Structures are given as structure tokens and as C-alpha cells.
Amino acid sequence: MSKIVGIDLGTTNSLVATVDSGIPLVLADAGGKRLTPSVVHLSKPGEKPLVGLPASRLRALRPSETVYSVKRFIGRRANELTDTDADVPYPLSRSGSGPATIDLHGHSWTPEEISAEVLKKLRADAESSLGESVTRAVITVPAYFNDAQRNATKRAGELAGFTVERIINEPTAAALAYGLDKLKEKSKIAVYDLGGGTFDLSILELNEAVFQVIATHGNTRLGGDDIDRAVTEHLASQVEQQSGKVLRHTGTRQASPEQLIVWSKLREAAEQAKIKLSTENETDIALPFLLPDYSLSYRLTRDELERIARPIVLRTREHCLRSLADAGLEARDLDQVILVGGQTRMPLVRQLVAEWFGCAEFEETRGGLRLGTEYHEAGGPLLNTGVNPDEAVALGAAIQAAILSGDLRNVLLLDVTPLSLGLETFGGLMNVIIPRNTTIPVKAGEMFTTAVDNQRDMLIHVLQGERERAKDNWSLGKFTLEFGPAPRGVPRVGVQFEIDANGILNVLARDTRTGKEKIVPMKSAVDVDDEAVTRMVEESVEHAFADLATRRWVEAKLKASATAKAARKCLADTRDDLEPEYITQVEAALQAVSDALATEQPNTGCGDTKLLQSACKALEEATQPLAELLMERVTEALLNQRGIT
Ligand code: AMP
């Protein structure tokens, strides 16, 4: 089996990671770079696109052919994109209800095709770094991504030649990377993720070794890019003041190619300066011959940057508050606040987040923060900055990948049951014990009894699927639990399903009278091919009415058969004391039940349920005097036994 890699397919940067000898690490490309800008340059038709850093460099020179931030468009319809969404210098089509496309050189590129180019590069980098073919991946997506966005991301992976083993939420991946050993068994964590283009604040709960996203809020148009844009504006004002030239295009007039190049250069310089100012207090920006007769030379200080950036960072607060409100929590209820995304390296971001969440009285040490454990002890959450914020998601994806491939044990599987699990019961029906989408690990059980007298054992047939009839679901395994003979309905067999953190289903069956039990491991209840799951769910929807009709029929049939059997026995036991007309009446009612049972069609396994139900009701009414007579006899016999007359 080939290795499964973890991929953070980011708006700004993408990374590929793996777990080597138990240690998660991000893989570098041939140039030693671990972050691949999610940028694709589409030069000429038929020419191979340039991906990553070389494409990013062309963003300044060939803005209209260089696609970035395509994650904003993945899985979204062209006509749902707003003007702000579409504010990109490359030709983005926004008409029609189909996917948004980038129309270049006679080809309409879908966002997943562009993302696939980034993924192909990551795959090639991983292959040369690991020295083996890499065909399986876990890819992360924001927690708020809907099904269409998740499916499109999966398709991008497939276009790049991957089998996408799992799509997981970015905050969950980040929490995994931050290590579970550092967390209490029941922890509540906030993941503050400020990347290049997006922001989200997710609240996760770690409960019995499983993470669950309990609230998430964010803005897909808020991130480091906005700070870059604001700094660029600031630099442009300086250029305009010093050179006397106008850089801004006004009204409807399109910017000239030269203007676009100037802006792109300013923007690149702005981002570099911003990054530098995370560790320095000031930086010199020099852009020789930015204009034919003008060179920019400007000193930007951290104070100035923070003044520009503060309003942008402050916009993230509202989402933090909303997430907390949705989760019904206050900041002090959290155990940790985890920082994710390259932009959280900015000291101002750390300072504000620490303030808002009451994390720490921090002091600055050479650009970083020393976090106040004292404060944490006083009750506030700990601001956790222990992992590279731009690598956390990829590392977490790699950890999840290693869990899936069995390379990492004794760690959690953050998962839900993809399909319902249950048992075959009377009449070949599925009895669900653990419904689909239940978070694992999980334990659930039910009590069963026998359908016929003197039954000596019970067949435990474990099923997986969404259909009403056992035979339409998948069989995971069978075993038999033996017990002493007893009248039907008397034995009590408790069946418990337990799915452990590795997705393994153990089925326990116990005869409660004797205490005799069996525990049988089944195959993984979680490792199911995604396509097969989709097919199963689609089929259950498609056949929902027919399945329900079958269930109703089978249930009516079971009841009618049991009633008829009991009536026949009663009739035989009391025949001598009954009037001939009454016997004929009961026999007619019995015949009506048999006729109704005979309406079952062999091809559908279904008959006339209403007819059967009313025949059964009529039989019950007809045999009411019989039941009373029998009751009298039993009472009489009991009194006789005790010598009472
Ligand atoms: P991500 O989307 O997580 O890759 O984050 C990318 C964003 O983080 C970009 O806006 C970068 O400019 C920003 N960024 C990366 N490193 C730093 C840093 N050291 N200080 C401030 N911002 C940074």
C-alpha cells in the first residue's frame, strides 16, 4: 500500500506533509521550500502551466494570466459570486449557474482544474522527497465548506492523480497537530485561523478522544491579503506624494498594464515588509525605478504597520464572539486558543487575540510572545503558539493520513460512521443500532428475544447500510449465541455494538439469563469506499417509499402470523367447548388472514398491508372470547392446584 500524504490546499499557500517514524513533517520541494504559493500561471495554450513560486513571481508581471486565491471559487456557481469575490485581475467568468471558470487562451479552466495543478506539484514534490510513488491523500478544507465545495476539492485531488482518502476540516487538523497529549480528556479549544485570504474561528470539543467542531464563523474575504492591500495603498500614497504621479485609476477606466505592474510590485514589497515587521521594529523598502524616473525608498515601522493593520485584525473579533455565542461558551470556558495561518505570526494579532480571550498577560521577547502561564493558571485559556502556524493544518492532515494507513497507532480517529450499523431481525429487516454519522468511538445496544418456541440459539447478523431490508445492506459478519431452550419471547439477549477509536466494530452478545456472552470483532466500520457510501445513501433515498412499504408489510406479516398461530392453538385446545357456528367464524377469520398473507408478490416481497392488517384485527376480535375462555381455564387450574374451589 502506498503512503498517504496530508495536504493543506490553502487559499494563499499549499503544503504537503507526511509522518516519518512517528514524526509529522512538511515535505520540501527541490528548492528546499515548504510552502507552495497556490498560484498557477497559464502562459500559452498547450504549454504546461507554471505552479508555485515561479508563478507567484509572474503575478506582478503578467497579472491577467496568473491565477491565485482560486479556493474562493471552488465548488461555487459562477452567478453566485459577488463583485468583491470577482475582484481579481484574471478573467473570471461569472455568468450561468455552472461553476465559475477562468477563461484563458481559449480554455475555460474550472477552479478544481487550477487547484489540481497545485496538487500535481505537491504530489511530484512528495514523490521526489519520499522516493516512491504517492497516490493517496488526505486533503483539508475549511469547516464551513459545503458539500459542493468539498466534492470539488475531492475532484481536484482526483484530477491530480490522488485517491482522496478523506476530506477533513482544517481546524480539526490543526488541533491534531497541536498534540492531544497536551490536552485534558475533555477540552474545549478555539482555533483562530487567519491566513492570506480567509479567516475563521472554530470551536472544537475534545470528548472521549474525538474532536467535534461545535461552532465555526468566519469571512472568506478577510486575511493577510487585506493588510497587504492596505499597506500597498499607504506605499502608493507615498509614491504619489514624492513623485507627483497618479498611480490610481479612477472611475471606469481600466488600469494600464504598466500601472498594474507598479501596483503588483508595491504589493509584493508591502507583504515582504509586513512579514519582516513580525520580528523587526522597522524595515526599509527600496524599489529602484518603480517609475521610469522614480525610485521608492521608504522606512516602515512596526507601529505604522500596526496602525494600518489594526482595523483589519479587529474585524475578526466579531466572528470570535459569534462562534463563542453559537457554542454557548464564554472565553474562560476554553482550555486553549490555537493560532493557525501565516498571518497569526504578526505580534499584533497575537496580542489582540490574547486580550479578547483573556489568554495571557504577555510580554514581548524579540518579536515573539512569552505567554503567561501564570494567567492561564488563573483561569484563562492558554494561547498556544507551539506549532508553526502555517504548517499546523498540513501536519494535522499528515497525522490523520498516518492513522488511516495504520502508521500511527494509539491516536485518535476523528471520524463518524459513514453508514448505519445494525442487526438483521425477524422477517429479514434491518434494525439500526448505530445510526449513520454518529461520532466514534461509540457504544450502543439493544435487547432482543426469540421468535419461536424452544429456540436454542440466536444468529447475530451484523449489517451496514441504509436500506430497510437486511438483504439490501452489506453483511459485515455473523455469529451464533447459544442458550438453553425456552418459550419464544422469554430469552433476553443484549447486543452491544462498540466502535473504537480505530473504527473497529466489536459486537458483544450476552444471554442475560445465563450470562453467557460472545464478543466478535468485525471489519472496520469506517473504512468504506466513499463512492460505495454515496451509492448506498442514494439508493436508500431512491427506494425510500418501496423500502418503507416493505417494512410495513413485513411487520404486519410477523404480527399476523403470530396471531394466527396462537389462534389455531387456542382453537385446538378449546374446540370441544365451542359452538360449531363460532368455530366456523374463527376459521373464516383465519382463512382471511391466510388469503391476505398470500397477496405477497415474490418479486417485491410485499403484499396488501392494509388488507392483512384488517384481517389480523378481525381475527383478534373473533378470538377474544377464546382468549377469555382460556384465561378462565388457567385460573381454575391454578385454584385447583392450590386446593381452593
Ligand atoms: P497562509 O494562508 O496560512 O499560508 O497565510 C499566508 C498569510 O500569512 C499571508 O498573508 C502572509 O503574508 C502572512 N504571513 C506569513 N508569514 C508571516 C509573518 N511572519 N508575519 C506576518 N504575516 C505573515
Side-chain angles (χ1 to χ4, degrees):
M1 266 291 182
S2 79
K3 199 158 189 119
I4 313 178
V5 290
I7 294 180
D8 169 8
L9 183 61
T11 310
T12 318
N13 293 302
S14 296
L15 301 88
V16 57
T18 187
V19 171
D20 187 16
S21 313
I23 299 170
L25 46 97
V26 172
L27 299 172
D29 66 8
K33 294 262 184 300
R34 308 195 304 181
L35 293 187
T36 290
S38 308
V39 184
V40 176
H41 176 71
L42 302 161
S43 39
K44 293 192 189 86
E47 234 172 63
K48 231 173 137 256
L50 277 180
V51 180
L53 197 58
S56 183
R57 290 200 176 114
L58 286 171
R59 215 177 127 176
L61 298 168
R62 316 275 287 271
S64 62
E65 296 173 333
T66 311
V67 185
Y68 62 90
S69 288
V70 81
K71 185 171 171 178
R72 289 192 207 283
F73 313 125
I74 202 160
R76 297 183 65 193
R77 290 168 202 256
N79 57 10
E80 76 181 24
L81 301 177
T82 61
D83 286 348
T84 337
D85 284 328
D87 179 24
V88 285
Y90 49 84
L92 180 75
S93 132
R94 288 167 61 195
S95 58
S97 57
T101 52
I102 293 110
D103 301 331
L104 263 175
H105 309 306
H107 181 74
S108 286
W109 294 77
T110 60
E112 47 264 53
E113 281 177 312
I114 301 283
S115 297
E117 294 301 322
V118 176
L119 290 168
K120 276 185 208 165
K121 161 157 187 325
L122 295 178
R123 188 171 153 223
D125 290 344
E127 288 185 336
S128 53
S129 171
L130 296 169
E132 59 181 281
S133 132
V134 174
T135 56
R136 302 164 74 202
V138 167
I139 305 180
T140 59
V141 292
Y144 57 77
F145 254 28
N146 63 25
D147 273 358
Q149 290 167 302
R150 283 167 199 261
N151 286 335
T153 305
K154 186 166 179 237
R155 262 199 314 280
E158 287 161 358
L159 286 173
F162 284 113
T163 300
V164 181
E165 299 289 343
R166 204 65 51 101
I167 294 284
I168 65 166
N169 287 330
E170 287 163 8
T172 307
L176 260 185
Y178 271 89
L180 306 156
D181 46 329
K182 297 185 203 92
L183 299 171
K184 290 190 297 195
E185 175 55 18
K186 277 184 188 287
S187 294
K188 292 190 179 64
I189 306 147
V191 179
Y192 180 99
D193 184 350
L194 186 60
T198 59
F199 168 70
D200 40 275
L201 190 286
S202 307
I203 296 185
L204 274 67
E205 200 170 40
L206 174 69
N207 205 350
E208 301 206 358
V210 170
F211 280 113
Q212 254 182 308
V213 178
I214 52 175
T216 185
H217 256 283
N219 183 339
T220 50
R221 298 286 306 194
L222 178 59
D225 292 351
D226 295 285
I227 300 178
D228 299 346
R229 203 172 300 123
V231 176
T232 309
E233 290 280 348
H234 178 75
L235 293 181
S237 305
Q238 302 302 320
V239 174
E240 286 181 341
Q241 269 174 28
Q242 290 172 17
S243 70
K245 299 259 162 46
V246 177
L247 291 185
R248 279 157 240 258
H249 47 99
T250 48
T252 51
R253 196 163 64 82
Q254 289 278 317
S256 67
E258 291 76 26
Q259 273 178 327
L260 279 177
I261 291 171
V262 169
W263 276 95
S264 295
K265 283 186 178 167
L266 282 175
R267 201 183 163 111
E268 205 172 292
E271 183 179 7
Q272 278 169 10
K274 172 192 78 175
I275 291 175
K276 260 217 176 107
L277 290 174
S278 285
T279 46
E280 319 268 321
N281 283 322
E282 53 183 39
T283 182
D284 288 325
I285 298 168
L287 289 174
F289 303 108
L290 179 66
L291 302 175
D293 52 359
Y294 171 80
S295 300
L296 173 70
S297 169
Y298 184 74
R299 175 164 293 180
L300 186 69
T301 64
R302 189 189 283 182
D303 282 349
E304 209 169 4
L305 170 69
E306 292 189 346
R307 202 175 30 76
I308 297 169
R310 182 178 281 267
I312 296 162
V313 183
L314 285 177
R315 285 171 56 200
T316 66
R317 184 159 188 231
E318 159 204 347
H319 301 288
C320 299
L321 295 175
R322 282 216 221 155
S323 270
L324 279 170
D326 280 2
L329 296 176
E330 300 209 13
R332 65 165 173 274
D333 299 328
L334 297 168
D335 295 278
Q336 296 208 2
V337 179
I338 289 174
L339 293 184
V340 179
Q343 194 54 56
T344 63
R345 287 178 187 267
M346 182 183 235
L348 175 74
V349 173
R350 297 183 172 198
Q351 176 199 332
L352 290 175
V353 175
E355 271 173 35
W356 298 336
F357 286 88
C359 287
E361 281 174 333
F362 65 91
E363 65 186 47
E364 270 178 63
T365 52
R366 287 197 299 144
L369 285 180
R370 196 186 69 79
L371 293 164
T373 35
E374 318 82 51
Y375 197 94
H376 177 56
E377 278 155 19
L382 182 76
L383 188 68
N384 197 332
T385 53
V387 174
N388 269 350
D390 28 25
E391 295 188 349
V393 170
L395 293 174
I399 292 171
Q400 173 74 83
I403 296 168
L404 286 178
S405 57
D407 291 346
L408 261 190
R409 291 179 205 284
N410 304 325
V411 248
L412 319 175
L413 195 69
L414 315 155
D415 234 322
V416 292
T417 50
L419 291 171
S420 302
L421 293 157
L423 284 183
E424 173 168 354
T425 54
F426 310 143
L429 291 177
M430 161 84 157
N431 185 318
V432 173
I433 308 256
I434 298 178
R436 162 178 153 73
N437 274 340
T438 304
T439 313
I440 64 163
V442 62
K443 226 189 248 184
E446 229 172 88
M447 200 65 90
F448 293 89
T449 188
T450 50
V452 286
D453 288 333
N454 295 323
Q455 196 173 316
R456 292 171 167 273
D457 53 33
M458 192 183 277
L459 177 72
I460 309 288
H461 184 193
V462 182
L463 301 165
Q464 184 169 37
E466 302 310 311
R467 305 291 301 275
E468 296 286 350
R469 278 192 304 195
K471 71 180 179 63
D472 295 325
N473 291 310
W474 304 332
S475 170
L476 290 188
K478 303 179 179 182
F479 64 93
T480 308
L481 183 76
E482 292 85 11
F483 41 78
R488 74 180 181 93
V490 171
R492 289 267 175 272
V493 175
V495 178
Q496 190 181 64
F497 280 26
E498 180 173 9
I499 307 179
D500 67 13
N502 294 314
I504 302 299
L505 169 65
N506 282 299
V507 177
L508 172 146
R510 179 187 293 136
D511 174 22
T512 51
R513 286 183 309 158
T514 59
K516 190 171 171 190
E517 67 175 33
K518 269 190 189 167
I519 302 177
V520 180
M522 300 283 145
K523 65 175 201 162
S524 167
V526 174
D527 265 349
V528 184
D529 178 48
D530 281 353
E531 269 173 37
V533 170
T534 311
R535 222 177 310 123
M536 170 62 81
V537 174
E538 281 171 2
E539 279 172 10
S540 75
V541 173
E542 196 181 314
H543 299 286
F545 286 114
D547 276 8
L548 198 62
T550 308
R551 174 173 281 278
R552 289 216 177 105
W553 168 254
V554 172
E555 284 170 355
K557 188 169 126 181
L558 285 170
K559 183 166 182 226
S561 306
T563 311
K565 194 175 164 202
R568 279 195 195 95
K569 188 167 183 304
C570 269
L571 197 59
D573 291 349
T574 52
R575 204 173 188 100
D576 297 345
D577 299 334
L578 302 174
E579 302 283 334
E581 302 89 77
Y582 178 65
I583 296 179
T584 318
Q585 190 195 333
V586 174
E587 279 176 343
L590 275 167
Q591 187 55 46
V593 168
S594 300
D595 292 346
L597 282 170
T599 60
E600 180 173 302
Q601 302 295 315
N603 55 340
T604 59
C606 219
D608 188 337
T609 309
K610 279 210 174 115
L611 181 72
L612 183 58
Q613 282 169 334
S614 68
C616 185
K617 195 158 173 255
L619 178 63
E620 278 172 344
E621 281 165 10
T623 52
Q624 186 65 27
L626 270 186
E628 282 162 14
L629 183 63
L630 273 178
M631 203 58 200
E632 266 172 37
R633 283 197 184 171
V634 172
T635 320
E636 219 170 275
L638 269 175
L639 294 176
N640 281 341
Q641 231 177 29
R642 294 182 190 170
I644 308 165
T645 51

